[in-house]
Amino acid sequence: MADGINTENEDLQAQIEEIEALSSIYGDEWCVIDEASRIFCIKICSDSEEPKLTACLQIVLPCDYPSTSPPIYQINAAWLRGPERAKLANSLEDLYVEHMGECILYLWVEKVREFLVETSQSAETVDQPGKVNMTAEEDVEDGDNIPDIRTIRVSAKEPHLYADLANDEEVPPIKHGESITDRRSTFQPHLAPVVTPGQVKKVLEELYENKKIASATHNIYAYRIYCEDKQSFLQDCDDDGETAAGGRLLHLLQILDVRNVLVVVSRWYGGILLGPDRFKHINNCARNILVEEGHAASTVRRASEESSSQ
């Protein structure tokens, strides 16, 4: 019994020392997602090679790592799939077997970086980075493919979002809602009132200034802006790698008759596939913050009816 407790304490101490070292080595590239659950991620780049490739390595440390169990990991990269993904996974597993019982994260990070450099040097084998839009839970074999997590993805369908903004255009106030956690995945909604596409871009930029939000596995968003002069809506959405999530979120805004609002739902993947439940959590997060902030048409009508009846 005492041996078990000693091993557990030694594992915890080894984890603490390893995390401190990695944080010191990689600085802003290293991010703590959930310290209590031992969930971390690091953004890895192929340095100055062209094309410059990026991957996000997400790590969950079991309580018996490094003595007994390996880290639970996931590699997020829109361009990485099929044989190349399997090749990288095999390399990481070989490293673990070779150094079983030792702290392995630094070796893993550098192995991924080495793989990125090799891949960027063979650019003809890369399938247009950033243009693949898939999700881990759509195809378990391919893993969770997402684009660069620090790049604000604005839909090419709305080119006006790229227009230069007036210097005096302020960032609308942003509200952050209560998070939902299920099987180590965490979902958190963010909401801002918007009346122009420029404000949508401003809010997204502001959100991505937050290191934790920028490191989310997915930042799904949808917005609806009512154009009085045309009596129509300007609306769009983005999956950020979680296929169909943006469209579902926009559909929710339409059902609730939401106007002049941008909703972003951040998801931090916890290493366990949720299946269709992930869409339920995304929409529940969004619905909750819309109701709390009084943007759902049904909520507005209910308040009006209660006021009239008094």
Side-chain angles (χ1 to χ4, degrees):
M1 184 72 174
D3 289 344
I5 294 175
N6 288 337
T7 300
E8 183 177 335
N9 290 337
E10 289 173 1
D11 281 337
L12 178 59
Q13 186 60 36
Q15 289 185 25
I16 291 173
E17 292 175 359
E18 184 178 26
I19 296 308
E20 288 178 350
L22 292 170
S23 177
S24 175
I25 293 169
Y26 296 113
D28 290 342
E29 291 182 343
W30 178 263
C31 183
V32 178
I33 301 299
D34 188 334
E35 188 168 13
S37 299
R38 316 301 289 165
I39 303 174
F40 309 90
C41 78
I42 180 169
K43 180 184 176 184
I44 309 169
C45 299
S46 59
D47 300 321
S48 59
E49 300 293 336
E50 292 296 339
K52 188 171 184 177
L53 300 180
T54 302
C56 179
L57 178 65
Q58 286 192 317
I59 297 290
V60 180
L61 298 181
C63 60
D64 56 354
Y65 164 82
S67 66
T68 305
S69 297
I72 301 169
Y73 76 93
Q74 174 181 306
I75 302 171
N76 299 325
W79 50 270
L80 183 62
R81 44 182 170 163
E84 291 300 308
R85 179 176 286 276
K87 178 181 176 182
L88 178 55
N90 289 337
S91 297
L92 298 185
E93 289 166 13
D94 289 344
L95 268 178
Y96 172 73
V97 172
E98 183 180 347
H99 298 272
M100 192 175 296
E102 303 174 16
C103 291
I104 196 72
L105 296 186
Y106 175 77
L107 294 177
W108 273 10
V109 172
E110 292 310 306
K111 174 59 70 174
V112 173
R113 192 186 308 279
E114 177 184 315
F115 181 85
L116 296 183
V117 172
E118 291 175 355
T119 304
S120 67
Q121 290 173 345
S122 304
E124 66 274 9
T125 66
V126 180
D127 185 15
Q128 294 185 324
K131 295 194 177 181
V132 180
N133 192 23
M134 300 174 63
T135 175
E137 310 202 36
E138 183 182 29
D139 188 336
V140 176
E141 291 184 356
D142 276 350
D144 197 358
N145 300 300
I146 65 169
D148 183 349
I149 57 176
R150 294 176 190 259
T151 299
I152 298 176
R153 293 164 46 94
V154 182
S155 174
K157 293 182 292 184
E158 300 290 348
H160 51 264
L161 290 183
Y162 292 98
D164 290 336
L165 305 176
N167 292 331
D168 59 352
E169 187 163 14
E170 297 181 357
V171 179
I174 303 172
K175 299 290 185 178
H176 306 281
E178 293 295 321
S179 61
I180 294 175
T181 300
D182 180 12
R183 287 163 280 180
R184 293 185 172 179
S185 278
T186 298
F187 303 79
Q188 184 182 25
H190 320 282
L191 178 149
V194 293
V195 293
T196 68
Q199 287 184 328
V200 172
K201 186 171 185 290
K202 282 276 193 179
V203 172
L204 293 174
E205 289 173 343
E206 182 76 12
L207 287 173
Y208 273 77
E209 288 295 317
N210 182 301
K211 186 191 298 185
K212 182 176 180 180
I213 294 174
S215 70
T217 314
H218 309 289
N219 282 301
I220 303 109
Y221 74 77
Y223 69 87
R224 295 185 87 215
I225 298 172
Y226 185 64
C227 305
E228 291 282 355
D229 55 340
K230 298 180 180 178
Q231 299 289 296
S232 63
F233 284 93
L234 177 61
Q235 56 189 21
D236 199 7
C237 60
D238 193 282
D239 298 331
D240 195 20
E242 185 69 284
T243 303
R248 291 169 183 252
L249 182 57
L250 179 57
H251 184 57
L252 174 68
L253 302 189
Q254 293 167 339
I255 291 174
L256 297 178
D257 193 21
V258 169
R259 302 183 177 205
N260 302 329
V261 167
L262 164 69
V263 176
V264 181
V265 177
S266 301
R267 180 199 180 180
W268 293 270
Y269 178 61
I272 301 173
L273 299 178
L274 302 186
D277 283 350
R278 68 195 190 279
F279 297 118
K280 176 182 69 177
H281 296 322
I282 291 167
N283 275 15
N284 281 344
C285 273
R287 183 184 293 105
N288 290 344
I289 196 170
L290 285 165
V291 171
E292 288 168 6
E293 298 301 321
H295 287 284
S298 57
T299 305
V300 175
R301 284 195 299 270
R302 189 181 307 117
S304 177
E305 290 168 358
E306 289 175 355
S307 176
S308 300
S309 62
Q310 292 177 350

